[in-house]
Amino acid sequence: CRVPEQRNPHSKELAQCRTYLERQVALLQPQVIVAMGRWAVQSVLSATSAEVALLPLGKLRGQVHRFANTPVVVTYHPQSLLRTPIDKAKAWADLCLAHSLTRRP
């Protein structure tokens, strides 16, 4: 579910994609979801917390959130990391956190 021309989605578009997202998570039953960037975070976490839209992405990082009983880790969008390379270390820490939540044999 993606908006055309890589523009920021409108709230109505985010709401329309919500059902698709919920169904995909139910079908795939992922061990962890990594939300990369502001719009991904708002799409995944907005139903669980209205304050998500108001908080900076940096305040949502470093903790485990939940979506449909699935752990969610928040990190920066890859395009943002190209503009701000100093955040790559933070993104790596987020990916390590996500990895620590996976079940390994």
Side-chain angles (χ1 to χ4, degrees):
C1 197
R2 183 177 171 93
V3 296
E5 303 171 10
Q6 297 184 339
R7 63 172 170 74
N8 292 341
H10 303 294
S11 57
K12 185 177 179 181
E13 291 168 325
L14 288 173
Q16 288 173 332
C17 290
R18 183 80 182 176
T19 304
Y20 177 79
L21 175 64
E22 290 169 350
R23 182 70 179 137
Q24 289 297 304
V25 171
L27 287 172
L28 296 173
Q29 298 180 355
Q31 293 181 34
V32 65
I33 296 170
V34 178
M36 301 176 94
R38 167 63 46 205
W39 298 112
V41 171
Q42 285 186 3
S43 296
V44 174
L45 297 182
S46 63
T48 59
S49 174
E51 67 187 30
V52 167
L54 303 174
L55 289 174
L57 199 66
K59 296 275 185 190
L60 297 168
R61 290 183 50 260
Q63 53 191 307
V64 179
H65 304 274
R66 308 253 350 136
F67 175 82
N69 246 2
T70 303
V72 176
V73 174
V74 171
T75 194
Y76 299 105
H77 190 281
Q79 191 173 25
S80 170
L81 296 174
L82 292 174
R83 289 189 308 265
T84 316
I86 196 151
D87 287 339
K88 287 181 182 181
K90 295 175 188 175
W92 180 251
D94 297 334
L95 293 176
C96 290
L97 173 60
H99 184 261
S100 75
L101 300 171
T102 60
R103 296 180 299 276
R104 288 166 266 162

